[in-house]
Amino acid sequence: MKEKLLVIVGPTAVGKTKTGIELAKEFKGEVISGDSMQIYKGMDIGTAKVTYDEMEGVPHHLIDIKEPTESFSVAEFQSLTKPLICQINERRHLPIIVGGTGLYIQAVTHDYQFADAPSDEEYRLQLEAEVEEHGVEFIHQKLKTIDRESYERIHPNNYRRVIRALEIYHSTNKTMTQYIEEQHKDSPYDLLIIGLVMERELLYERINKRVDLMVENGLIEEAQRLYGQGVRHCQSVQAIGYKEIYDYIEGRLTKEDAIELLKRNSRRYAKRQFTWFRNKMDVEWFNMDDDFNKKIAEIKKNVAGKLL
């Protein structure tokens, strides 16, 4: 018998968090955050992290497990999530991954193997020498020319991950993402992926309002605190929501321009998320334009019929 796994995906601000909690309450579920940023302690407003009250008693996992100065990778997410799915099933509860970081989720749902990627020790040593001589930014720029997706995902300070991505491309002539996805594995789980979507203008309006609410709730003060604690040049603060405010803190943007840039970057990110999930995962989509409670009832019926 395969272990059960429910996944809820979709673009930012579409309502994934609330949907996950409603389904968890209905089906004795436990939520596993599938967001690569909510793992960081003290980064609450900019990541739209679920609050204790919003959880409504539903257990949540993989939130606040890393310091903002630490790096995090898709392989690490996979290694943490797989045992959680097993433990939650053993409790006869339903594991529900909720999030928008597509490659992280897909690495779990289809059990991608990272350690099996080819290596080239001579080339790796050459790259390490280049880091020593020219700095980490030098090899990070190399990655930009061949694998834009990994370049955007991996912070230059995490130079071992940068080197690994370059090494895979050197050995296979495929980007890290291509190499992983071409494994074409069936899922090891009894899997259902629910996708939430919304009419574009309505979604963009929600994103803009969310950003305004973040600012009202203290996003700039949160970023200033992190900056004052020396959290700079780290993977965590390269995320949308922090890098724009850091540009304001460091005087490159006005406050108003930083907020507008944050809204624009969030809208573009939402578009990329939807495209990714639509093209790369087998998702059952639900349009959330309608009455939320009515739509949740429809999703609950779908989950009960297909997974339970």
Side-chain angles (χ1 to χ4, degrees), residues 262-287:
L262 172 50
K263 290 177 179 178
R264 190 192 74 184
N265 287 344
S266 298
R267 294 192 299 266
R268 288 179 175 177
Y269 178 57
K271 185 177 179 181
R272 291 198 304 274
Q273 283 177 302
F274 176 65
T275 301
W276 203 98
F277 288 121
R278 184 186 60 196
N279 293 340
K280 299 189 179 184
M281 299 185 80
D282 184 15
V283 178
E284 297 201 27
W285 292 100
F286 290 84
N287 191 308

Side-chain angles (χ1 to χ4, degrees), residues 120-135:
D120 184 328
E121 187 175 359
E122 185 179 340
Y123 182 65
R124 185 167 66 250
L125 290 171
Q126 175 193 320
L127 292 172
E128 288 175 356
E130 289 177 2
V131 171
E132 198 71 33
E133 185 176 353
H134 303 292

Side-chain angles (χ1 to χ4, degrees), residues 213-226:
L213 190 59
M214 284 177 172
V215 173
E216 187 180 317
N217 288 342
L219 172 61
I220 292 172
E221 291 78 9
E222 181 175 81
Q224 287 171 329
R225 174 180 52 78
L226 291 164

Side-chain angles (χ1 to χ4, degrees), residues 7 30 35 45-46 48 72 107 138 171 190 197 225 263 271 297:
V7 179
E30 298 185 33
D35 187 295
I45 299 169
F72 193 60
F138 180 80
S171 302
D190 182 5
V197 69
R225 174 180 52 78
K263 290 177 179 178
K271 185 177 179 181

Side-chain angles (χ1 to χ4, degrees), residues 3-49:
E3 295 173 328
K4 295 184 184 299
L5 177 61
L6 176 63
V7 179
I8 301 170
V9 300
T12 187
V14 78
K16 297 185 296 294
T17 298
K18 189 174 180 184
T19 299
I21 289 165
E22 289 301 317
L23 294 179
K25 290 193 298 183
E26 179 77 10
F27 300 115
K28 288 179 66 176
E30 298 185 33
V31 171
I32 301 171
S33 172
D35 187 295
S36 62
M37 292 303 301
Q38 294 193 3
I39 58 160
Y40 290 114
K41 300 173 185 175
M43 300 181 69
D44 303 332
I45 299 169
T47 64
K49 192 179 292 176

Side-chain angles (χ1 to χ4, degrees), residues 219 223 237-250 252-255 257-266:
L219 172 61
V237 291
Q238 296 304 305
I240 296 170
Y242 294 95
K243 61 182 179 180
E244 297 86 359
I245 305 302
Y246 268 40
D247 281 344
Y248 160 61
I249 293 170
E250 294 180 343
R252 287 185 292 274
L253 291 174
T254 66
K255 179 180 174 180
D257 286 346
I259 292 168
E260 284 308 307
L261 181 61
L262 172 50
K263 290 177 179 178
R264 190 192 74 184
N265 287 344
S266 298

